[in-house]
Amino acid sequence: MADRPLTLMAVHAHPDDEATGTGGVLARYAAEGIRTVLVTCTDGGCGDGPGGVKPGEPGHDPAAVALMRRQELEASCEVLKISDLEMLDYADSGMTGWPSNDAPGSFWQTPVEEGAARLAELMRHYRPDVVVTYDENGFYGHPDHIQAHRITMAALEMTELTPKVYWTTMPRSGMRRFGEIMREFHEDMPEPDPAEAAAMPEIGLPDDEITTWVDTTAFSGQKFDALAAHASQGENIFFLKMGKERFGELMGMETFLRVQDATGAAVPENDLFAGLR
Protein backbone atom coordinates (compact mmCIF):
# COMPACT_ATOMS: atom_id res chain seq x y z
CA MET A 1 0.00 0.00 0.00
CA ALA A 2 2.87 2.36 0.71
CA ASP A 3 3.90 2.57 -2.95
CA ARG A 4 0.52 3.76 -4.19
CA PRO A 5 -2.33 5.95 -2.95
CA LEU A 6 -5.65 4.62 -1.79
CA THR A 7 -7.87 4.64 -4.86
CA LEU A 8 -11.60 4.99 -5.48
CA MET A 9 -13.00 3.95 -8.88
CA ALA A 10 -16.54 4.98 -9.81
CA VAL A 11 -18.06 3.34 -12.89
CA HIS A 12 -20.89 5.38 -14.40
CA ALA A 13 -22.97 5.18 -17.54
CA HIS A 14 -23.17 8.77 -18.85
CA PRO A 15 -21.60 12.18 -18.47
CA ASP A 16 -23.38 13.83 -15.48
CA ASP A 17 -24.07 10.57 -13.59
CA GLU A 18 -20.84 11.12 -11.65
CA ALA A 19 -22.21 14.37 -10.23
CA THR A 20 -25.71 13.21 -9.35
CA GLY A 21 -24.91 9.93 -7.66
CA THR A 22 -21.38 10.22 -6.36
CA GLY A 23 -20.29 13.85 -6.65
CA GLY A 24 -20.04 14.14 -2.88
CA VAL A 25 -17.81 11.13 -2.28
CA LEU A 26 -15.62 11.96 -5.28
CA ALA A 27 -15.05 15.48 -3.95
CA ARG A 28 -14.65 14.39 -0.32
CA TYR A 29 -12.12 11.65 -0.97
CA ALA A 30 -10.15 13.77 -3.44
CA ALA A 31 -9.84 16.37 -0.66
CA GLU A 32 -8.56 13.63 1.65
CA GLY A 33 -5.75 12.77 -0.76
CA ILE A 34 -7.35 9.65 -2.21
CA ARG A 35 -6.94 9.00 -5.93
CA THR A 36 -10.32 9.23 -7.63
CA VAL A 37 -10.85 7.47 -10.94
CA LEU A 38 -14.01 8.01 -12.97
CA VAL A 39 -14.92 5.55 -15.72
CA THR A 40 -17.73 6.83 -17.97
CA CYS A 41 -19.05 4.09 -20.22
CA THR A 42 -21.00 5.98 -22.91
CA ASP A 43 -20.60 9.16 -24.94
CA GLY A 44 -23.94 10.64 -23.82
CA GLY A 45 -25.03 11.13 -27.42
CA CYS A 46 -28.71 10.50 -26.57
CA GLY A 47 -28.77 13.51 -24.29
CA ASP A 48 -30.37 16.86 -25.03
CA GLY A 49 -28.95 18.92 -27.86
CA PRO A 50 -28.74 22.73 -27.97
CA GLY A 51 -32.01 24.33 -26.91
CA GLY A 52 -33.18 21.09 -25.33
CA VAL A 53 -33.75 19.31 -28.66
CA LYS A 54 -34.35 15.60 -28.08
CA PRO A 55 -32.98 12.57 -29.94
CA GLY A 56 -34.89 11.99 -33.16
CA GLU A 57 -36.01 15.60 -33.39
CA PRO A 58 -34.76 17.92 -36.15
CA GLY A 59 -31.42 19.44 -35.20
CA HIS A 60 -30.31 16.68 -32.86
CA ASP A 61 -26.81 15.55 -33.84
CA PRO A 62 -25.61 12.71 -31.56
CA ALA A 63 -21.94 13.30 -32.46
CA ALA A 64 -22.18 17.00 -31.62
CA VAL A 65 -24.06 16.23 -28.39
CA ALA A 66 -21.39 13.70 -27.42
CA LEU A 67 -18.63 16.27 -27.97
CA MET A 68 -20.49 18.89 -25.93
CA ARG A 69 -21.08 16.43 -23.13
CA ARG A 70 -17.43 15.38 -23.12
CA GLN A 71 -16.48 19.01 -22.54
CA GLU A 72 -19.04 19.31 -19.75
CA LEU A 73 -17.76 16.10 -18.18
CA GLU A 74 -14.20 17.41 -18.17
CA ALA A 75 -15.43 20.60 -16.48
CA SER A 76 -17.28 18.54 -13.85
CA CYS A 77 -14.13 16.52 -13.18
CA GLU A 78 -12.23 19.76 -12.61
CA VAL A 79 -14.82 20.86 -10.05
CA LEU A 80 -14.77 17.53 -8.23
CA LYS A 81 -10.94 17.30 -8.42
CA ILE A 82 -11.17 13.86 -10.02
CA SER A 83 -7.68 12.48 -10.54
CA ASP A 84 -8.27 10.38 -13.65
CA LEU A 85 -11.05 10.27 -16.26
CA GLU A 86 -11.40 7.19 -18.47
CA MET A 87 -14.05 7.02 -21.19
CA LEU A 88 -15.08 3.75 -22.80
CA ASP A 89 -16.99 5.82 -25.41
CA TYR A 90 -19.72 3.34 -26.24
CA ALA A 91 -22.72 4.85 -28.01
CA ASP A 92 -25.42 6.00 -25.59
CA SER A 93 -28.31 3.50 -25.71
CA GLY A 94 -31.02 5.98 -24.68
CA MET A 95 -33.91 5.31 -22.35
CA THR A 96 -35.73 1.97 -22.11
CA GLY A 97 -37.67 1.25 -25.30
CA TRP A 98 -35.90 3.78 -27.52
CA PRO A 99 -34.80 2.54 -30.97
CA SER A 100 -31.24 3.40 -29.96
CA ASN A 101 -31.34 0.44 -27.54
CA ASP A 102 -30.98 -1.84 -30.57
CA ALA A 103 -28.41 0.20 -32.49
CA PRO A 104 -25.21 -1.67 -33.39
CA GLY A 105 -22.38 -0.35 -31.25
CA SER A 106 -24.66 0.89 -28.49
CA PHE A 107 -23.57 0.07 -24.97
CA TRP A 108 -26.69 -2.03 -24.42
CA GLN A 109 -25.83 -4.17 -27.47
CA THR A 110 -22.18 -4.61 -26.46
CA PRO A 111 -21.36 -8.10 -25.19
CA VAL A 112 -20.77 -7.93 -21.43
CA GLU A 113 -17.51 -9.83 -21.81
CA GLU A 114 -16.14 -7.19 -24.20
CA GLY A 115 -16.94 -4.24 -21.97
CA ALA A 116 -15.79 -6.14 -18.89
CA ALA A 117 -12.44 -6.98 -20.45
CA ARG A 118 -11.77 -3.31 -21.16
CA LEU A 119 -12.79 -2.31 -17.65
CA ALA A 120 -10.72 -5.10 -16.13
CA GLU A 121 -7.64 -3.65 -17.82
CA LEU A 122 -8.35 -0.30 -16.15
CA MET A 123 -8.84 -2.02 -12.81
CA ARG A 124 -5.49 -3.79 -13.15
CA HIS A 125 -3.86 -0.47 -14.00
CA TYR A 126 -5.37 1.61 -11.18
CA ARG A 127 -5.82 -1.22 -8.62
CA PRO A 128 -8.78 0.41 -6.85
CA ASP A 129 -9.35 -0.20 -3.16
CA VAL A 130 -13.00 0.78 -3.52
CA VAL A 131 -15.25 0.35 -6.57
CA VAL A 132 -18.66 2.03 -6.85
CA THR A 133 -21.32 1.35 -9.48
CA TYR A 134 -25.08 0.72 -9.75
CA ASP A 135 -27.20 -2.21 -8.58
CA GLU A 136 -28.67 -4.89 -10.88
CA ASN A 137 -31.51 -2.58 -11.91
CA GLY A 138 -29.19 0.33 -12.66
CA PHE A 139 -30.89 2.14 -9.75
CA TYR A 140 -33.94 3.04 -11.88
CA GLY A 141 -33.88 0.68 -14.85
CA HIS A 142 -31.88 2.61 -17.46
CA PRO A 143 -30.31 0.11 -19.91
CA ASP A 144 -26.87 1.75 -19.78
CA HIS A 145 -26.88 1.79 -15.99
CA ILE A 146 -27.77 -1.91 -15.94
CA GLN A 147 -24.98 -2.60 -18.43
CA ALA A 148 -22.49 -0.59 -16.34
CA HIS A 149 -23.40 -2.80 -13.37
CA ARG A 150 -22.96 -5.95 -15.45
CA ILE A 151 -19.56 -5.08 -16.86
CA THR A 152 -18.30 -3.89 -13.48
CA MET A 153 -19.20 -7.10 -11.68
CA ALA A 154 -17.86 -9.19 -14.57
CA ALA A 155 -14.62 -7.19 -14.69
CA LEU A 156 -14.07 -7.77 -10.98
CA GLU A 157 -14.35 -11.51 -11.58
CA MET A 158 -11.70 -11.25 -14.32
CA THR A 159 -9.13 -9.70 -11.99
CA GLU A 160 -7.34 -10.91 -8.89
CA LEU A 161 -8.35 -7.74 -7.05
CA THR A 162 -10.51 -7.73 -3.92
CA PRO A 163 -11.66 -4.14 -3.45
CA LYS A 164 -14.58 -3.11 -1.32
CA VAL A 165 -17.51 -2.92 -3.77
CA TYR A 166 -20.55 -0.69 -3.39
CA TRP A 167 -23.78 -0.10 -5.26
CA THR A 168 -25.34 3.35 -5.15
CA THR A 169 -28.77 3.59 -3.56
CA MET A 170 -31.10 5.93 -1.70
CA PRO A 171 -33.01 5.41 1.52
CA ARG A 172 -36.77 5.16 1.06
CA SER A 173 -37.16 8.01 3.55
CA GLY A 174 -35.00 10.15 1.29
CA MET A 175 -37.05 9.19 -1.77
CA ARG A 176 -40.21 10.40 -0.01
CA ARG A 177 -38.51 13.68 0.88
CA PHE A 178 -37.32 14.02 -2.71
CA GLY A 179 -40.90 13.63 -3.95
CA GLU A 180 -42.13 16.29 -1.52
CA ILE A 181 -39.51 18.78 -2.71
CA MET A 182 -40.25 18.07 -6.37
CA ARG A 183 -43.92 18.88 -5.77
CA GLU A 184 -42.86 22.02 -3.89
CA PHE A 185 -40.98 23.26 -6.97
CA HIS A 186 -43.61 21.99 -9.41
CA GLU A 187 -46.94 22.95 -7.91
CA ASP A 188 -48.83 21.49 -10.89
CA MET A 189 -47.18 18.11 -10.44
CA PRO A 190 -49.92 15.56 -9.67
CA GLU A 191 -49.81 13.27 -6.69
CA PRO A 192 -48.54 9.83 -7.72
CA ASP A 193 -51.27 7.38 -8.73
CA PRO A 194 -51.25 4.59 -6.10
CA ALA A 195 -51.95 1.86 -8.69
CA GLU A 196 -49.17 3.03 -11.00
CA ALA A 197 -46.77 3.38 -8.07
CA ALA A 198 -47.56 -0.16 -6.91
CA ALA A 199 -46.83 -1.56 -10.38
CA MET A 200 -43.40 0.05 -10.61
CA PRO A 201 -40.32 -1.46 -8.94
CA GLU A 202 -39.40 0.50 -5.85
CA ILE A 203 -36.27 2.62 -6.08
CA GLY A 204 -33.79 2.62 -3.25
CA LEU A 205 -33.79 0.53 -0.08
CA PRO A 206 -35.42 0.58 3.34
CA ASP A 207 -33.25 2.72 5.58
CA ASP A 208 -32.20 -0.20 7.77
CA GLU A 209 -30.85 -2.17 4.78
CA ILE A 210 -28.40 0.53 3.74
CA THR A 211 -24.90 -0.38 4.87
CA THR A 212 -23.05 2.86 4.24
CA TRP A 213 -23.98 6.49 4.93
CA VAL A 214 -21.33 9.00 3.87
CA ASP A 215 -21.82 12.59 4.98
CA THR A 216 -20.70 14.81 2.09
CA THR A 217 -22.55 17.95 3.18
CA ALA A 218 -19.30 19.93 3.30
CA PHE A 219 -18.82 19.14 -0.40
CA SER A 220 -22.39 19.71 -1.58
CA GLY A 221 -21.39 23.05 -3.11
CA GLN A 222 -18.87 21.27 -5.32
CA LYS A 223 -21.48 18.66 -6.18
CA PHE A 224 -23.92 21.42 -7.16
CA ASP A 225 -21.29 23.12 -9.33
CA ALA A 226 -20.37 19.81 -10.97
CA LEU A 227 -23.99 19.26 -11.88
CA ALA A 228 -24.21 22.83 -13.18
CA ALA A 229 -21.29 22.03 -15.49
CA HIS A 230 -23.72 19.73 -17.33
CA ALA A 231 -25.99 22.67 -18.12
CA SER A 232 -27.03 21.32 -21.52
CA GLN A 233 -29.08 18.57 -19.90
CA GLY A 234 -32.55 19.79 -19.01
CA GLU A 235 -33.13 17.13 -16.37
CA ASN A 236 -30.48 18.81 -14.20
CA ILE A 237 -32.34 22.10 -14.03
CA PHE A 238 -34.65 20.91 -11.26
CA PHE A 239 -31.70 20.37 -8.92
CA LEU A 240 -30.15 23.69 -9.83
CA LYS A 241 -33.38 25.58 -9.15
CA MET A 242 -33.09 24.61 -5.50
CA GLY A 243 -30.01 26.73 -4.89
CA LYS A 244 -26.97 25.41 -3.07
CA GLU A 245 -28.41 25.49 0.45
CA ARG A 246 -31.53 23.43 -0.29
CA PHE A 247 -29.52 21.18 -2.60
CA GLY A 248 -27.09 20.45 0.23
CA GLU A 249 -29.96 19.62 2.61
CA LEU A 250 -31.37 17.07 0.16
CA MET A 251 -28.22 15.72 -1.46
CA GLY A 252 -25.60 16.01 1.28
CA MET A 253 -25.76 12.38 2.39
CA GLU A 254 -24.70 9.73 -0.13
CA THR A 255 -25.75 6.17 0.59
CA PHE A 256 -24.56 2.78 -0.63
CA LEU A 257 -25.02 -0.94 -0.30
CA ARG A 258 -21.75 -2.75 0.41
CA VAL A 259 -21.68 -5.99 -1.58
CA GLN A 260 -18.04 -7.06 -1.32
CA ASP A 261 -15.60 -6.59 1.53
CA ALA A 262 -12.41 -8.23 2.73
CA THR A 263 -11.72 -5.84 5.61
CA GLY A 264 -14.29 -6.99 8.14
CA ALA A 265 -15.33 -3.39 8.82
CA ALA A 266 -18.57 -3.26 10.77
CA VAL A 267 -21.77 -2.01 9.19
CA PRO A 268 -23.46 0.38 9.15
CA GLU A 269 -20.40 2.42 8.27
CA ASN A 270 -19.86 6.09 7.44
CA ASP A 271 -16.77 5.76 5.26
CA LEU A 272 -16.20 3.83 2.02
CA PHE A 273 -12.61 3.31 3.18
CA ALA A 274 -13.49 1.95 6.62
CA GLY A 275 -11.07 -0.87 7.38
CA LEU A 276 -8.56 0.35 4.80
CA ARG A 277 -6.93 3.17 6.76
Side-chain angles (χ1 to χ4, degrees):
M1 192 75 72
D3 62 344
R4 63 181 182 85
L6 284 170
T7 300
L8 164 66
M9 175 180 282
V11 183
H12 281 292
H14 310 98
D16 79 3
D17 291 332
E18 81 291 339
T20 308
T22 55
V25 291
L26 287 166
R28 170 179 163 168
Y29 291 122
E32 293 179 8
I34 288 170
R35 186 175 199 177
T36 51
V37 180
L38 170 63
V39 180
T40 301
C41 296
T42 79
D43 61 8
C46 286
D48 293 352
V53 62
K54 304 295 183 183
E57 294 180 349
H60 188 280
D61 178 352
V65 171
L67 176 60
M68 174 179 63
R69 297 195 71 185
R70 171 65 184 249
Q71 294 167 343
E72 292 178 333
L73 178 59
E74 290 172 350
S76 172
C77 288
E78 285 289 328
V79 170
L80 297 173
K81 308 301 183 187
I82 290 170
S83 309
D84 300 271
L85 170 63
E86 299 282 356
M87 293 197 71
L88 300 185
D89 266 335
Y90 290 107
D92 190 340
S93 310
M95 301 295 286
T96 302
W98 287 14
S100 47
N101 293 174
D102 301 318
S106 71
F107 190 38
W108 185 239
Q109 290 300 315
T110 299
V112 169
E113 295 77 12
E114 177 191 320
R118 293 181 62 194
L119 182 57
E121 282 302 303
L122 293 174
M123 289 180 174
R124 294 186 188 104
H125 174 72
Y126 288 107
R127 304 187 67 82
D129 302 282
V130 171
V131 173
V132 176
T133 192
Y134 315 101
D135 62 18
E136 304 101 317
N137 192 46
F139 184 61
Y140 69 99
H142 192 297
D144 287 331
H145 289 227
I146 294 171
Q147 190 75 330
H149 162 85
R150 290 174 176 172
I151 74 162
T152 301
M153 302 312 291
L156 287 162
E157 289 186 5
M158 292 178 178
T159 73
E160 77 288 358
L161 304 173
T162 57
K164 297 180 79 177
V165 180
Y166 294 89
W167 297 342
T168 57
T169 190
M170 281 190 71
R172 295 271 165 80
S173 61
M175 294 299 298
R176 288 191 293 272
R177 178 64 178 143
F178 183 72
E180 292 167 2
I181 291 177
M182 283 192 72
R183 284 188 287 277
E184 177 185 331
F185 280 84
H186 298 277
E187 294 180 359
D188 56 346
M189 183 177 175
E191 290 287 332
D193 179 86
E196 289 183 8
M200 293 178 65
E202 283 196 280
I203 295 175
L205 291 172
D207 292 32
D208 61 0
E209 293 182 18
I210 291 174
T211 62
T212 312
W213 303 70
V214 184
D215 186 354
T216 63
T217 306
F219 302 92
S220 60
Q222 275 177 265
K223 183 173 178 174
F224 181 95
D225 290 342
L227 197 58
H230 297 281
S232 70
Q233 302 310 298
E235 66 265 23
N236 294 330
I237 293 175
F238 162 70
F239 292 105
L240 302 177
K241 281 182 177 177
M242 294 182 189
K244 285 188 177 181
E245 185 174 348
R246 292 295 302 280
F247 180 84
E249 292 172 6
L250 181 65
M251 306 289 282
M253 182 71 72
E254 293 185 351
T255 50
F256 305 87
L257 179 66
R258 193 176 84 189
V259 296
Q260 178 175 303
D261 171 63
T263 70
V267 292
E269 60 187 1
N270 59 12
D271 179 10
L272 298 180
F273 289 85
L276 291 168
R277 54 180 179 171

